[in-house]
Amino acid sequence: AFTMKLGVVTKPGSAQNIVAEKFKELVEQRSNGALSVKIFHSASLGNETEILQQIQLGTIQLGIITSGPFDSFDPIVRVIDYPFLFKDSQQADEILDGPLGQEILTSLESSGFKGLCFSENGFRNLTNSRKPVNSPNDIDGLKIRVMSSALHKAIWQALGANPTPMPWPIYTELEQGVIDGQENPLWVMEVYKFYEIQKHMTLTRHVYSAHIDVASLNWWNSLDSDTQELLQKSMYDAAKFQRADNRAKNAQRLEMLKQKGMKVVETPDIGALREKVSSLKEIELFSDPKVQSLLTRTLEATR
Amino acid sequence: MSEFGLLILLAVLFLINVPIACSIGIVSIIAIAIKGDFSMMVVIQRMFGGTDSFHLMAVPLFMYAGLLMEKGGISRRIIDFANALVGWLPGGLAAVAIVSAMLFAGISGSAAADTAAVGALLIPAMKRSGYDSDFAAAVQASGGSIGVIIPPSIPMIIFGFLTGASIGKLFAAGIIPGIIIGLSLIIIASILSHRNGYKAAVPFSLSRIFHSFFKSLLALGTPLLILGGILFGIFTATESAAAAVLYSLIIGGFVHRELKFSDLKPIFIEGSIIAAIVMFIIATASVFSWLAAIEDIPSLVAGGLLQISDNPIILLILINLILLIAGTFVETTAALILLVPMIVALQPQLGIDLIHLGVIIVTNLAIGMLTPPMGICLIVSGAISGDSISAISRRILPFLMILIVDLLLITFYPPLTMFLSSLVGN
Amino acid sequence: MELSLLGLGSLMTIIVIAQVISRYGLNHSLFWSEELARYLLVWLTFLGATVAYFRGMHPGVDVIYRRLSPENKRYLRIISHLLCLILFLVMIWQGTQFSYFVRLQITPALNLPKWTIFSIIPISGLIFMLHGFAFIWRELFTGEHRHE
Ligand code: NA
Ligand code: NA
C-alpha cells in the first residue's frame, strides 16, 4: 500500500485536522486499503510556508494550508482574503466551488501545487480586552495581533487599529496585555481558550479564512486517472464535510463563549467598517493584472 | 540502514570529537541520502527554519546582557552582597559561590555563563583560602547549573519554542525550584567544608549586609526588571532580554561608570559567537528532529514507554532516567530538540502541566551539565581551576546526589513549579 | 567577519528595543521589525558559527581525544575536519539549490526576495569549507594546528 504524507500546522481537533482526518478515512475506505494517509500535525514538519515548500520538493504529498501563506507563492490567493468579500458562507461556497475558485486552484499549478479544493477556518472575528466594538471609532488605536501579512496589516490599518505582528501562540501576550486583541474564526477562540482572557468579541466577519487543500503537482501527475479521481473526490467530500461541521458548531461555540462571560456584539455597523476599507482594492498588493481582474470579477459576483 | 545504525554512527562521531552540531548534521545528511526519497534541500530548509524564530532571539540578547553586567561591575557587587549574606557560614566562600551563582542566575540565561562569571572571581579566592582546587571547581560547577533553572533560562526559551509553552510562565515556574536547589547545595557545601576544616570567610555583620545590599541594589534590580516586565505584561520574554541589555548598558555605563564604549565591541562579538554556537546546534538538530518526526519516531518511543507502564509516576521516573542519561552524553540544546517531542507525546498520560514538565526537563538537563563527559559546567569550572574533568567529577558526587533528591521533589510536588507560574498574567 | 557579528547583533538589539518603545511610546507597532530581527538572527547564527569553527569553539566530546598521543590527536583532527566537510558541502550545494528554489518567493512583511535571506547558508558553508581546508592543509604540511 502506498502511504501519502499530509501536513497540517495545527493540533488535533482544529479545522485543518478535521479535513485531514476525514480525507484519510475516505481515501482508506474507498481504496479498500490500497492507499493510506499519514497525517503530520502540530507543526512537526515546520510552519505552513515550510510545509508548502516540502510539498513542492515532493518530500510530502499533501497539505491543508490556510490561504495566507500561499501569498508568497502566488499573489492571486489574496483575492480570497479581501475584506468583507463574502456576505455569508453560502456565497463563499458558490464562488470558491465555482469557476472563480477554480481559477485560483489552476493558477497554483505554476507554483508546483495541484489545488484540489477549499475548506475553511471560517469568518474571522475580532476580540479584545478593552471595550465593546460596534463601529470603526471603537477600533481606533487598539493593539491587534495580526498575522505577518501585508494585506492583513493594511486591513487593520485602514480600520484604524494598531496592527501588531506577533508569532503564534499569543495566549500569554493577550493575557499579559502586551496586545489588546486578536482576530480569528470562532473555533480558534474555543480551542485556544481565548474566552479566559478576552472580554469582548464582535462578529466583524471581516475576512473569510479559507484553507486551500493541495497536493504536489509532480506527484499528482504521476498518478493514474482513477487514483486522481478518487483523491480529488475524497478531498472535496472531506472539505464539504468539514465546512458543514464547522458551521454547525459555530452556533454552539457562540453560546459557549457567551456562557464563559464574553460580551458579544453580534451586529456591528458592518457598512461603516466596509466603507473604511473600500480603497483597498486600489493598493499595490492587488495591482498585478491577473489579481486585479479576478478581484474585480469576484466583487462583481458577490455584490 | 536502520535507525539504530544511525544512532551508533552518531555516537561514534561524538566519541571521535567531531563537534556536536556537525555530528548531528552529518548523520542527518547520511540518513536522507540512504533513504533516497527526500530532497536533500530539506536540510537547508530545516537549518533555516530551526533558527528563524522571534523567541530564540532571546538567546543572543541574554548573552549580551550577561557580558555587559560582568563588565559593568554588576557581578562583582552581587558577589560582595553574597559574601556579606553567607560568608560567615562554615566554608563561607563555598556558600558565597553558590549564592552568587543564584543571584547571577537571575541575570544570565546560561549555566556556562553563570559558572564562568562567578567562578572567575571565586574559584581563585577559594583556592587562596586553602580549599582543594578540585573541590572549589566542583562547588562552582554545581552552583552554576542553577543558571538555567532560575530565570532567565535559554533551555526554557528553547522548550517554549519547541512546545508553544509560555516562556513567561516557564520562567516564573523556575524560581522556587532554583531557590530550593541553591539552598540544598549550600547545606551540602557547608557540611563538606566543615568536615574539611574550611573556615568562614567573613564574620557575620548586619551592617555589612545592608551596606553591600544597597551597593548592589541596581544590580539586583535586573532580575526584577526581567521578571516583573514579563509578569506585568510590559513585554514578551524576548523583549525582556532586550530591556536587560539596555538596563545593563545604563547601569554599567552611567551609574557604575565601569563600562567603557570600547568594551561594547568585544561584548557584542563574543556574545554573538557564543549564541551562534548554541543556535548552530539548534540548526542541525532541527534537521534531525524533522527526520525523526517524518519517520514517526517520537510516537514510537512514546508507545514503547507506554508498553513498559502507563502509570504516571513510573513514566515520570523513566523520563527522568532517560533525560539524566541523555544529559550525561549530549549537549543540552541538542538533548532538548531530540527528546522534547518524544516526552511531550506522553504528556496526556503523565497528567501534568506542560510548564511543570518543562521545568522537570530543564532541571534534568541542568544536572546533566555536571556529569562527564559532556558537562558544560564541569568543563568551564575545570578551565578556570586547572583541574581535570575526572578530578572534579569525583568531588561533585555529593552535590549530584542532593540534586537528584531536589529533582524528585520538583517532579512529584507540582506546587513548587505551578504556584508562581499560575500568577503570570493574573 | 567578526565586525559583521557586531553589526548584526547590535542592530537586532536596537530593533527589538525600538519595537517596545514604538508600541508603548507611539502606540504604533513596527510591522517590519519582527521579521527583520528574525532574519538578522539567522545570519548571526550562521556567520557566528563559522567564526566559532575558526576558533575551535564548537563543543565536542573529548573524553577519548584527550587521552591520545599527539600524533593520534592529529589524525583524529584531520578525520574530524574531513567529516565536517560533508556538512559544509551540503550547505553550499543544497543551499544554492534551495536559494534558487525559493527565487520567486518574497517575505511576508518586508517583501524581500527570500533567496537573499537563504543565501547565508551557502555563503557560510563556503566560509566553513575554506577554514576546513586551511586546517587540513596546516595539519598535513606545516604540522601546526590552531587549537588542542
Ligand atoms: Na538564569
Ligand atoms: Na553531562
Side-chain angles (χ1 to χ4, degrees):
Chain A
F2 177 74
T3 303
M4 55 200 100
K5 302 186 176 76
L6 185 157
V8 292
V9 80
T10 42
K11 56 187 188 185
S14 307
Q16 288 93 318
N17 302 59
I18 290 174
V19 189
E21 276 152 28
K22 190 70 185 176
F23 174 72
K24 175 184 165 71
E25 179 196 319
L26 293 176
V27 167
E28 292 178 356
Q29 179 191 30
R30 289 173 184 177
S31 70
N32 294 319
L35 299 170
S36 66
V37 180
K38 167 93 189 119
I39 300 169
F40 294 90
H41 58 78
S42 309
S44 62
L45 301 183
N47 63 30
E48 289 194 312
T49 306
E50 289 162 349
I51 293 174
L52 286 176
Q53 286 168 348
Q54 289 172 25
I55 292 173
Q56 287 181 315
L57 290 172
T59 303
I60 63 172
Q61 288 76 40
L62 296 143
I64 316 289
I65 309 291
T66 48
S67 59
F70 282 95
D71 186 87
S72 70
F73 297 86
D74 190 340
I76 201 160
V77 297
R78 284 175 198 153
V79 172
I80 312 173
D81 282 41
Y82 191 82
F84 305 104
L85 183 64
F86 301 125
K87 269 200 276 301
D88 50 30
S89 308
Q90 284 63 41
Q91 194 177 52
D93 289 354
E94 264 164 46
I95 301 289
L96 293 177
D97 290 342
L100 293 170
Q102 190 56 47
E103 222 172 286
I104 296 173
L105 296 178
T106 309
S107 173
L108 289 175
E109 292 190 10
S110 57
S111 317
F113 301 111
K114 168 68 189 172
L116 296 171
C117 56
F118 299 90
S119 45
E120 73 168 24
N121 263 342
F123 283 100
R124 305 179 78 88
N125 296 304
L126 173 69
T127 71
N128 83 92
S129 54
R130 299 218 156 196
K131 56 186 171 190
V133 169
N134 286 294
S135 67
N137 289 339
D138 302 324
I139 296 176
D140 238 27
L142 281 181
K143 276 195 276 289
I144 307 290
R145 179 267 177 182
V146 297
M147 292 179 287
S148 192
S149 141
L151 175 56
H152 284 258
K153 172 199 164 197
I155 294 172
W156 286 99
Q157 252 170 358
L159 288 170
N162 172 4
T164 306
M166 195 162 278
W168 195 263
I170 55 169
Y171 183 93
T172 318
E173 285 75 10
L174 286 168
E175 187 178 30
Q176 295 167 353
V178 177
I179 37 179
D180 300 322
Q182 57 92 39
E183 44 88 46
N184 262 301
L186 286 179
W187 72 263
V188 176
M189 328 282 189
E190 181 194 6
V191 171
Y192 290 92
K193 301 200 169 113
F194 287 162
Y195 51 81
E196 295 175 350
I197 45 173
Q198 296 273 279
K199 182 113 191 92
H200 303 283
M201 176 161 74
T202 303
L203 300 186
T204 45
R205 302 163 66 86
H206 50 278
V207 166
Y208 177 75
S209 173
H211 315 139
I212 311 183
D213 310 329
V214 293
S216 153
L217 184 64
N218 278 337
W219 171 72
W220 183 264
N221 288 339
S222 75
L223 300 173
D224 61 63
S225 61
D226 287 349
T227 311
Q228 285 180 349
E229 199 175 320
L230 187 150
L231 294 176
Q232 172 74 68
K233 179 94 173 48
S234 300
M235 189 61 95
Y236 185 63
D237 291 344
K240 278 216 312 212
F241 169 84
Q242 183 267 341
R243 283 185 253 167
D245 175 76
N246 193 39
R247 289 159 197 175
K249 284 178 186 159
N250 272 343
Q252 303 160 27
R253 287 188 184 121
L254 197 56
E255 266 324 294
M256 190 278 265
L257 295 172
K258 285 182 192 163
Q259 242 170 31
K260 296 278 181 187
M262 278 187 119
K263 299 262 170 286
V264 182
V265 176
E266 297 196 36
T267 49
D269 187 351
I270 297 285
L273 291 169
R274 202 173 180 170
E275 182 57 36
K276 277 271 201 178
V277 297
S278 60
S279 60
L280 280 182
K281 56 182 172 293
E282 269 94 49
I283 62 177
E284 169 71 24
L285 287 167
F286 295 105
S287 61
D288 181 295
K290 199 167 107 179
V291 181
Q292 183 64 237
S293 147
L294 184 68
L295 178 63
T296 313
R297 282 176 292 135
T298 311
L299 283 169
E300 197 68 34
T302 55
R303 199 190 329 225
Chain B
M1 192 179 350
S2 68
E3 278 80 9
F4 191 66
L6 290 169
L7 283 180
I8 302 262
L9 179 63
L10 186 63
V12 169
L13 291 180
F14 280 171
L15 285 175
I16 62 171
N17 201 19
V18 176
I20 288 170
C22 300
S23 304
I24 298 173
I26 294 164
V27 168
S28 308
I29 287 167
I30 292 175
I32 292 174
I34 291 172
K35 273 221 84 172
D37 53 357
F38 301 140
S39 164
M40 193 63 83
M41 275 193 258
V42 89
V43 172
I44 306 302
Q45 192 206 44
R46 296 328 304 153
M47 286 180 85
F48 189 96
T51 51
D52 174 20
S53 152
F54 186 73
H55 299 302
L56 292 180
M57 224 172 284
V59 175
L61 291 174
F62 277 127
M63 299 285 177
Y64 305 146
L67 290 171
L68 286 166
M69 310 231 169
E70 210 181 325
K71 271 277 180 221
I74 291 180
S75 14
R76 217 192 54 240
R77 283 170 176 79
I78 284 179
I79 291 173
D80 287 345
F81 174 56
N83 199 16
L85 206 61
V86 292
W88 49 271
L89 287 171
L93 279 178
V96 172
I98 292 164
V99 170
S100 304
M102 286 168 72
L103 293 170
F104 200 76
I107 294 170
S108 156
S110 131
D114 199 356
T115 311
V118 180
L121 295 169
L122 276 171
I123 292 176
M126 283 189 270
K127 285 166 78 170
R128 275 198 304 275
S129 313
Y131 285 63
D132 290 338
S133 174
D134 47 8
F135 178 77
V139 167
Q140 193 61 68
S142 64
S145 70
I146 301 171
V148 293
I149 298 169
I150 290 182
S153 161
I154 307 278
M156 285 182 190
I157 292 165
I158 296 172
F159 181 84
F161 161 72
L162 290 172
T163 61
S166 152
I167 293 167
K169 283 188 186 257
L170 284 165
F171 278 8
I175 298 173
I176 295 177
I179 292 172
I180 289 176
I181 288 173
L183 294 178
S184 68
L185 289 176
I186 292 173
I187 292 170
I188 296 292
S190 297
I191 294 172
L192 292 174
S193 298
H194 185 69
R195 203 179 283 169
N196 292 339
Y198 304 142
K199 297 277 174 303
V202 290
F204 179 79
S205 150
L206 211 55
S207 76
R208 189 203 299 270
I209 293 179
F210 277 115
H211 189 68
S212 61
F213 174 72
F214 284 110
K215 273 179 72 178
S216 62
L217 204 57
L218 287 169
L220 296 170
T222 321
L224 294 181
L225 169 83
I226 295 171
L227 279 174
I230 297 174
L231 292 176
F232 293 110
I234 302 168
F235 27 65
T236 64
T238 300
E239 291 169 350
S240 80
V245 171
L246 192 62
Y247 181 80
S248 47
L249 264 174
I250 293 169
I251 302 294
F254 299 104
V255 182
H256 297 159
R257 293 173 187 263
E258 292 179 30
L259 189 68
K260 294 182 294 296
F261 189 72
S262 60
D263 292 330
L264 294 185
K265 186 175 146 185
I267 285 175
F268 272 92
I269 291 175
E270 296 313 308
S272 299
I273 294 174
I274 300 166
I277 291 170
V278 174
M279 296 289 296
F280 195 57
I281 296 174
I282 296 179
T284 60
S286 298
V287 185
F288 195 94
S289 72
W290 180 87
L291 266 174
I294 206 147
E295 299 294 332
D296 217 13
I297 290 171
S299 58
L300 287 177
V301 173
L305 284 176
L306 283 174
Q307 291 269 300
I308 300 175
S309 169
D310 57 2
N311 178 321
I313 294 179
I314 295 178
L315 281 174
L316 278 170
I317 291 176
L318 279 174
I319 289 173
N320 278 334
L321 270 175
I322 293 173
L323 282 164
L324 284 175
I325 295 168
T328 298
F329 296 105
V330 185
E331 191 275 341
T332 313
T333 310
L336 275 169
I337 298 187
L338 303 183
L339 295 176
V340 162
M342 305 179 194
I343 296 169
V344 168
L346 281 171
Q347 199 209 346
Q349 278 76 30
L350 295 174
I352 65 172
D353 197 272
L354 191 57
I355 303 291
H356 183 194
L357 189 57
V359 176
I360 294 175
I361 291 174
V362 171
T363 307
N364 265 298
L365 295 176
I367 297 175
M369 295 172 185
L370 302 172
T371 54
M374 193 58 222
I376 190 70
C377 292
L378 290 182
I379 294 169
V380 172
S381 207
I384 299 171
S385 75
D387 291 288
S388 74
I389 304 291
S390 49
I392 310 172
S393 312
R394 277 194 295 278
R395 302 301 291 265
I396 213 160
L397 265 175
F399 296 101
L400 279 179
M401 276 146 68
I402 192 73
L403 280 170
I404 289 174
V405 175
D406 293 334
L407 171 66
L408 292 173
L409 205 62
I410 293 162
T411 305
F412 292 109
Y413 192 60
L416 294 180
T417 43
M418 296 314 293
F419 174 66
L420 281 180
S421 85
S422 67
L423 298 181
V424 173
N426 294 344
Chain C
M1 190 54 59
E2 299 190 353
L3 280 182
S4 71
L5 296 181
L6 172 66
L8 292 166
S10 48
L11 190 58
M12 193 178 81
T13 312
I14 291 166
I15 289 172
V16 178
I17 293 172
Q19 166 71 294
V20 180
I21 293 175
S22 171
R23 193 172 65 226
Y24 287 103
L26 313 170
N27 198 22
H28 173 87
S29 299
L30 303 173
F31 204 78
W32 45 269
S33 65
E34 192 250 6
E35 188 175 284
L36 180 59
R38 276 193 287 115
Y39 293 147
L40 290 173
L41 175 68
V42 175
W43 278 64
L44 182 140
T45 298
F46 286 96
L47 289 178
T50 67
V51 177
Y53 180 62
F54 180 68
R55 295 197 190 173
M57 285 169 73
H58 285 290
V61 180
D62 62 351
V63 263
I64 295 180
Y65 177 82
R66 236 180 314 118
R67 293 182 168 81
L68 296 177
S69 68
E71 188 61 6
N72 285 335
K73 279 186 178 170
R74 193 170 76 113
Y75 289 135
L76 216 53
R77 282 196 302 272
I78 295 174
I79 293 172
S80 170
H81 288 307
L82 283 171
L83 286 167
C84 289
L85 282 178
I86 300 176
L87 174 65
F88 305 155
L89 286 171
V90 167
M91 287 174 71
I92 299 169
W93 172 232
Q94 297 297 317
T96 310
Q97 283 213 325
F98 194 79
S99 302
Y100 180 76
F101 171 72
V102 297
R103 69 194 177 282
L104 299 176
Q105 293 172 37
I106 48 161
T107 69
L110 293 161
N111 286 334
L112 291 170
K114 276 194 182 164
W115 68 266
T116 58
I117 316 282
F118 274 96
S119 66
I120 190 60
I121 296 184
I123 291 170
S124 62
L126 193 65
I127 301 170
F128 268 126
M129 191 186 71
L130 294 175
H131 286 326
F133 280 146
F135 285 140
I136 295 169
W137 177 269
R138 278 199 219 102
E139 298 278 5
L140 287 177
F141 300 109
T142 68
E144 304 165 27
H145 63 89
R146 287 185 51 88
H147 24 255
E148 270 292 309

